[in-house]
Amino acid sequence: MNPEASVVDNVIDTVSAVFLVVGALMSLAAAVGLLRFPDLLSRMHAATKPQVLGLFLLLAAIGLQLRSWWVWPVLLVAWIFQLLTVPISAHMVGRAGYRTKHLHRELLSSDELEAVVQKAAQSARDESSRDEASDGGRRD
Amino acid sequence: MSRRRISLRQELPLLVWLVLVWGALWQDFSPGNLLFGALLAVLVARIFYLPPVELSGRFNILYAVPFALRFLGRVAAASVEVMYLAAVRGPRVINAVVAVPLRSHQDLMVTATGHVISLIPGSLVVEVDRSTSTLYLHALNVSSPEEVESLRKEVRSIEAGLIRIMGTREELEAIRQEAAA
């Protein structure tokens, strides 16, 4: 073995070791956030986001260690699908959580959605009561 | 429901993406495999028909690369921030739900902005109002009106970046005028 190649190997090994540790740390941060944050919505931040970076670092470390160009597209596709699906799951859980009031209002400094939701609910109520009234009229 | 015919040009990005995924999964980009992948992609796109995504027809790679790098940097910085908040602030964190009206009314642009916002830790899309293209975000660690305002500004600058990459010409013109003003 010539010394130059082993220097390169060392650098790659070091970089991937750093990536693995930091990536694992990001997943740990997600777990800590899940335990420590007070309500569902802030937990969703911890549960969904730091591990996107964590996964990226872990996949990059795998790519560096396997030393073959053909794994990079698979890893990239895996990460892209993570990027595409994580916001959607976060949005669906967050939306359901907001509507079912799984949040601590006293921890919100401002809420610009509440008024909109109440207005929508009010107009829905008006609509349904109007419908009932007209239905009642027809039945008579 | 009648199916609106979509041109091959409009469908092409989807087909190319499917072929690339096929090649990546087999870890084989030889012409034969790609040809078979293309055949499957056309078949899949015909059978599992989805409403076409309305692309604007332009894509500026010169803006896309710095945007992607800045995005990665921001994800890294904000991940560390969430880690810090989780460890130190924990249960006493103050949040806000912020309404951000977007400029663009394109579905693709609203979706892309929502995705980028959601991926940067610290903000999460709670609700989307499609008729006015307003995003309602839940933001971590926002306790003052100034911070709400700066978040709103940040979201709109991300949208501006996305419009520069792949917005329609009219939107691009509007961004230019806004920047000049």
Side-chain angles (χ1 to χ4, degrees):
Chain A
M1 270 220 339
N2 57 351
E4 251 175 82
S6 76
V7 169
V8 173
D9 278 354
N10 268 335
V11 171
I12 289 180
D13 280 352
T14 314
V15 169
S16 41
V18 170
F19 276 11
L20 282 175
V21 171
V22 176
L25 213 63
M26 284 299 150
S27 302
L28 178 70
V32 171
L34 216 53
L35 280 175
R36 299 257 303 154
F37 282 138
D39 62 350
L40 180 123
L41 281 171
S42 36
R43 280 192 184 135
M44 282 314 291
H45 290 288
T48 53
K49 265 71 73 56
Q51 49 84 355
V52 169
L53 179 64
L55 184 74
F56 171 76
L57 292 173
L58 293 178
L59 291 177
I62 293 174
L64 285 174
Q65 281 300 308
L66 287 180
R67 314 280 167 89
S68 94
W69 288 110
W70 297 118
V71 300
W72 283 99
V74 192
L75 300 177
L76 194 68
V77 165
W79 195 56
I80 287 177
F81 276 119
Q82 180 88 357
L83 288 186
L84 290 176
T85 51
V86 156
I88 295 168
S89 63
H91 168 59
M92 291 324 286
V93 175
R95 185 182 145 114
Y98 188 91
R99 296 201 168 186
T100 51
K101 305 199 168 51
H102 279 284
L103 76 169
H104 293 292
R105 289 218 180 272
E106 71 278 7
L107 291 175
L108 288 179
S109 63
S110 75
D111 188 347
E112 293 165 1
L113 180 54
E114 193 185 12
V116 182
V117 169
Q118 277 179 356
K119 208 172 130 197
Q122 183 62 43
S123 70
R125 265 202 300 278
D126 289 352
E127 200 119 297
S128 66
S129 63
R130 236 202 332 277
D131 284 353
E132 269 165 32
S134 62
D135 280 355
R138 242 179 285 142
R139 250 183 260 121
D140 281 340
Chain B
M1 212 175 88
S2 69
R3 285 183 172 183
R4 190 150 54 101
R5 289 293 304 167
I6 46 173
S7 65
L8 189 67
R9 191 179 125 71
Q10 223 179 354
E11 212 176 26
L12 203 60
L14 172 71
L15 294 180
V16 168
W17 163 246
L18 285 176
V19 172
L20 285 181
V21 170
W22 176 259
L25 289 178
W26 283 104
Q27 302 187 18
D28 177 6
F29 286 90
S30 62
N33 193 36
L34 287 188
L35 194 71
F36 187 58
L39 204 73
L40 280 181
V42 171
L43 209 68
V44 164
R46 282 282 168 274
I47 295 174
F48 302 106
Y49 182 85
L50 289 171
V53 175
E54 280 170 33
L55 299 173
S56 65
R58 53 175 289 274
F59 188 88
N60 192 332
I61 195 86
L62 285 179
Y63 283 115
V65 171
F67 184 86
L69 291 179
R70 215 167 47 137
F71 168 70
L72 254 184
R74 206 155 341 155
V75 167
S79 294
V80 173
E81 194 196 322
V82 170
M83 194 159 89
Y84 167 80
L85 282 175
V88 177
R89 200 71 70 81
R92 297 182 308 281
V93 72
I94 301 289
N95 308 315
V97 175
V98 183
V100 185
L102 298 179
R103 306 174 184 91
S104 175
H105 284 260
Q106 302 271 333
D107 283 347
L108 179 67
M109 204 50 86
V110 174
T111 312
T113 313
H115 260 81
V116 173
I117 295 305
S118 295
L119 284 167
I120 294 172
S123 46
L124 179 107
V125 177
V126 176
E127 193 70 67
V128 183
D129 187 344
R130 193 171 165 222
S131 60
T132 58
S133 83
T134 306
L135 294 181
Y136 293 92
L137 308 174
H138 179 267
L140 207 59
N141 194 29
V142 170
S143 52
S144 68
E146 293 84 55
E147 283 174 326
V148 169
E149 205 44 57
S150 81
L151 176 76
R152 205 168 289 155
K153 215 170 275 169
E154 194 194 326
V155 173
R156 287 183 55 92
S157 88
I158 287 172
E159 194 209 2
L162 283 168
I163 286 176
R164 283 199 196 96
I165 295 171
M166 53 180 188
T168 59
R169 282 179 205 293
E170 297 85 64
E171 287 165 355
L172 192 67
E173 203 47 51
I175 294 278
R176 292 239 169 87
Q177 278 168 5
E178 203 173 293

